[in-house]
Amino acid sequence: MLDNTHLHITTWVLGIVLFFIALALMKGANAKGAKIVHMILRLMYVLIIFTGGWLFFQFSSIDAALYGVKFLLGILVIGFMEMILVRTKKHKSVKVMWILFVIALLATLYFGFSLPIGFDFLR
């Protein structure tokens, strides 16, 4: 159980780090580097969804509705990350996407850490 959770946390932490690296490269003059990092990030999206789905199907019998909400919020986070990068590349406004991204990310983190297989930081 714990190994699967750690694998999932590792993939989404790497995904967020790669997201900010790709964003910084896009805003800079390194278009080729941004494209490479963006492609690697898209691979991380697949790994995040795979490990999240793995955990979902492994533990959904505990509280299927809440884990389902968390799964959907995680998909929304990935969608907002991708929309921010694509709209930034096209020089379009991303203000609303950033707001929605932060809300979805915080909600996903809350659900992820408060559900039964999450971590209790106050112990």
Side-chain angles (χ1 to χ4, degrees), residues 17-85:
V17 169
L18 287 171
F19 168 71
F20 285 109
I21 291 171
L23 195 62
L25 290 172
M26 278 183 189
K27 289 186 176 184
N30 194 349
K32 186 176 181 179
K35 188 172 187 173
I36 292 169
V37 174
H38 195 178
M39 286 297 149
I40 295 169
L41 177 59
R42 286 176 173 160
L43 175 63
M44 290 306 298
Y45 293 158
V46 173
L47 294 174
I48 291 167
I49 292 169
F50 177 76
T51 58
W54 186 8
L55 288 172
F56 175 73
F57 289 114
Q58 190 174 4
F59 296 102
S60 63
S61 62
I62 297 173
D63 197 349
L66 289 177
Y67 281 104
V69 170
K70 193 238 180 220
F71 189 83
L72 291 174
L73 284 169
I75 297 294
L76 284 174
V77 170
I78 290 171
F80 290 131
M81 288 168 67
E82 186 65 16
M83 286 189 277
I84 288 169
L85 289 175

